[in-house]
Amino acid sequence: MEEKGFPAFGTGCASLLSRHLTRRVWEELKDLETGSGYTAADLIRSGVEQQESSVGVYAGDAESYDLFSPLLTPVVREYHGNAGPHPAPDYSLAHLPELSVSAARKIISTRVRVGRNLAGFPLGPAISPGQRREVEERIKAALTRLPEHLQGTYHPLPEMDPALRDDLIERHLLFKNEDRFLLSAGLMRDWPEARGLFLSHDEAFSVWVNEEDQLRIISLQKGGDVTEVFKRLADGVAALSSHLDFLTHPRLGSLTSCPTNLGTAMRASVHMKLKGLAEDEEALHKTANALGLQVRGIHGEHSEGRGGIYDISNRMRLGVTEAAALGHLIDGIARLALLDDEAS
Ligand code: ADP
Ligand code: CIR
């Protein structure tokens, strides 16, 4: 792409970027730059280089969401079904629906994560190596102050034995070390510097440091005890919030580099065996989509389902509370389990 020319999108490109970046919007944005030097060309680089993107944009800092709003607001609205305002956090367990017996039987493991970034720093796509190190130091310090049941060890990525790294990735505890969407967004600059994994002693609580977001706070365990997983996540978020100042926006809630993660920044997912529905993957995606759910493969985003097992999660993260998004997932997977029973 010529730096300020209107980008070329192939005929097969269906990203939110390609659909919302009109010539008029580009003309309005192309010369703008945020205080951390993030330009409109930076904002769209991933979606221009990776035309199979479903979304295609990454923000460089909090200001990106306001300055580039003529593009980002329609993208956000289409993905989440709203563009805010975002409600106050709510991790209460009181009104969660009960997991259906049939869904519970099909669940192999349950994970809930939220993304967070630190106030006062650019997001990953625009951060400098020095700022990234400072972010890591602050997170490491906060991690030493977790309550006893969440305590564990920080493993810096540059020092990690490759065999251990592969094992952690295979067991879904560590991020993959290649992602062309993140690479194009500038999120893998200086890899693996200042990246790392905090893992609790029982491996049920973890924090990814300086990957797509500065923190991914994660609760994961075998089986379908959604309540226990959610409660652990809430404990971790509360503990870290008291030692770190997280980046938020008055309308958009928690700010993240990818606009699909705004608001709660929460993805609650189950690995679920859907033997009957696996017969027609396209129909499974359509059905899940209609229920407000997203289907991913067994190794997360951009991976394949295997042995009839899929990663099913809430799609919407903005304009809903954490408890409501989780309730939506619980209801949705009950419906999927029922349809799977009928199809088996
Ligand atoms: P993210 O959830 O952070 O957006 P991914 O979709 O890449 O990113 O998932 C990250 C990792 O978490 C992957 O290894 C994925 O398989 C794993 N994962 C997600 N949900 C579950 C689950 N319910 N059980 C086990 N692993 C999971
Ligand atoms: C894309 O545009 O496909 C990547 N940048 C990832 C977008 C977020 N993922 C998702 O909604 N599944």
Side-chain angles (χ1 to χ4, degrees), residues 47-74:
V48 173
E49 290 183 4
Q50 309 299 337
Q51 301 245 330
E52 310 76 24
S53 293
S54 57
V55 181
V57 287
Y58 288 90
D61 44 30
E63 195 189 341
S64 297
Y65 281 105
D66 295 319
L67 194 67
F68 303 124
S69 161
L71 173 61
L72 287 182
T73 297

Side-chain angles (χ1 to χ4, degrees), residues 14-21 53-56 71 75 78-79:
S15 64
L16 296 185
L17 167 66
S18 68
R19 290 193 289 108
H20 291 289
L21 188 69
S53 293
S54 57
V55 181
L71 173 61
V75 165
E78 183 166 344
Y79 182 85

Side-chain angles (χ1 to χ4, degrees), residues 89-300:
D90 176 10
Y91 292 88
S92 63
L93 301 168
H95 304 294
L96 281 185
E98 231 175 273
L99 189 65
S100 75
V101 174
S102 164
R105 267 206 302 265
K106 296 173 196 282
I107 295 176
I108 292 151
S109 53
T110 304
R111 176 180 185 262
V112 187
R113 62 85 165 152
V114 296
R116 291 289 184 271
N117 292 278
L118 299 192
F121 292 88
L123 295 164
I127 204 164
S128 72
Q131 288 171 319
R132 196 188 294 113
R133 278 195 297 275
E134 172 66 21
V135 165
E136 184 191 33
E137 286 310 313
R138 289 192 190 189
I139 297 170
K140 274 165 61 182
L143 288 169
T144 63
R145 306 175 70 175
L146 286 170
E148 203 176 331
H149 68 295
L150 303 180
Q151 282 173 12
T153 310
Y154 183 68
H155 304 271
L157 206 58
E159 292 161 31
M160 195 181 282
D161 173 61
L164 172 63
R165 186 197 60 207
D166 293 348
D167 174 60
L168 290 168
I169 294 174
E170 187 55 34
R171 294 195 294 126
H172 308 285
L173 291 166
L174 177 63
F175 43 85
K176 287 173 267 186
N177 55 351
E178 80 247 2
D179 181 320
R180 60 203 165 96
F181 303 88
L182 300 189
L183 188 68
S184 288
L187 275 155
M188 298 191 80
R189 289 170 303 128
D190 315 303
W191 196 268
E193 286 311 311
R195 274 72 175 199
L197 166 72
F198 172 86
L199 196 54
S200 66
H201 298 307
D202 64 0
E203 298 193 339
F205 179 72
S206 51
V207 179
W208 294 357
V209 177
N210 282 325
E211 194 235 12
E212 180 176 325
D213 289 301
Q214 289 156 6
L215 299 98
R216 284 289 170 90
I217 307 170
I218 301 159
S219 173
L220 164 69
Q221 71 189 46
K222 295 236 180 307
D225 193 339
V226 183
T227 309
E228 189 171 77
V229 174
F230 190 56
K231 167 121 188 26
R232 182 186 304 109
L233 191 266
D235 290 349
V237 173
L240 291 171
S241 309
S242 58
H243 301 297
L244 294 167
D245 186 12
F246 292 141
L247 185 64
T248 58
H249 184 281
R251 175 173 50 91
L252 300 171
S254 286
L255 288 188
T256 51
S257 64
C258 178
T260 63
N261 285 321
L262 294 167
T264 56
M266 185 182 100
R267 190 170 88 88
S269 54
V270 288
H271 273 183
M272 203 173 176
K273 191 152 179 112
L274 296 169
K275 240 175 76 206
L277 296 178
E279 298 289 319
D280 185 348
E281 272 203 8
E282 207 181 309
L284 166 63
H285 279 262
K286 267 198 197 142
T287 306
N289 203 34
L291 292 167
L293 303 177
Q294 195 176 60
V295 182
R296 295 187 180 184
I298 198 70
H299 281 286

